[in-house]
Amino acid sequence: VAISTGNNPQISTSLAINNLSISGSSTLQIIGDITLDVKGDLTVGSGASLDGTTTSSKISMSGQRTQLSMEGTFEPNTDIEIAGTAEVSLVSNIDLPNESNDLTVNSGGNLNFNGFNVTGANGDFILASGATIMITDADGITSSGNALGNVQADSRTFDAGANYQYTGTVDQQTGNGLPSIINHLEIA
């Protein structure tokens, strides 16, 4: 599905689509406690936005070898989850500017930072037990502060039952966000 400049559709029922691209000054509004399941790539271009009307408005990425690009704006009440069995690579930095913005990697889900970061002065990054992240930043992952590592969101949860893979192309530190006991550690 492509939403181009000047179009501002509203979705008020849960549905599944293959790919979602929002460009120009368009806004996709998710109305109510629903989930939009994106089975392919999700691209929100510069000037475009995602807007949820409740704290339960969610985009779930569930596809294999998909890409997430967020150069536009997360409005309040919009969450993104990487579902179990999904494999998602970032192709831009992801900014979570609002308290009600979460990026969650669920059990079985995989997120490859791919040289990009999750930032945000108020947003939450949540890595669940059984999920996997591929860390590419030289500073690894940090527990707080907004200047270092692949995860620079305000609130960060790194579950001890998750899987951590350090796959950067430069020497890497683990960072102080790595739990002291973890399910699986891989250094490539």
Side-chain angles (χ1 to χ4, degrees):
V1 173
I3 302 168
S4 59
T5 301
N7 293 306
N8 299 302
Q10 298 177 336
I11 296 175
S12 58
T13 186
S14 293
L15 65 113
I17 58 175
N18 286 327
N19 296 297
L20 176 60
S21 175
I22 306 169
S23 61
S25 59
S26 298
T27 297
L28 174 62
Q29 188 174 49
I30 302 171
I31 298 176
D33 298 339
I34 65 164
T35 298
L36 176 61
D37 181 12
V38 179
K39 298 182 178 301
D41 297 340
L42 171 59
T43 304
V44 181
S46 180
S49 63
L50 289 170
D51 186 12
T53 61
T54 71
T55 56
S56 298
S57 299
K58 179 173 31 181
I59 293 181
S60 178
M61 296 190 70
S62 62
Q64 299 286 315
R65 292 182 274 306
T66 62
Q67 297 181 337
L68 172 58
S69 174
M70 186 69 189
E71 295 175 354
T73 304
F74 269 125
E75 299 295 342
N77 300 320
T78 308
D79 296 336
I80 292 184
E81 72 173 14
I82 297 171
T85 72
E87 297 175 8
V88 177
S89 292
L90 298 184
V91 292
S92 74
N93 290 325
I94 306 297
D95 182 38
L96 307 172
N98 301 293
E99 259 181 52
S100 55
N101 294 139
D102 296 341
L103 175 60
T104 303
V105 185
N106 287 332
S107 181
N110 293 277
L111 174 62
N112 182 347
F113 288 101
N114 199 31
F116 297 98
N117 300 320
V118 175
T119 64
N122 295 304
D124 300 332
F125 177 86
I126 303 159
L127 179 66
S129 179
T132 300
I133 54 173
M134 288 145 229
I135 303 157
T136 58
D137 192 277
D139 293 308
I141 53 174
T142 56
S143 60
S144 63
N146 289 330
L148 299 173
N150 279 128
V151 180
Q152 301 172 15
D154 179 52
S155 172
R156 306 159 200 189
T157 302
F158 300 110
D159 194 280
N163 304 302
Y164 299 83
Q165 298 177 0
Y166 287 82
T167 60
T169 58
V170 299
D171 290 342
Q172 290 182 273
Q173 298 179 27
T174 58
N176 66 6
L178 185 69
S180 59
I181 298 174
I182 58 172
N183 183 51
H184 179 78
L185 174 66
E186 182 177 325
I187 300 173

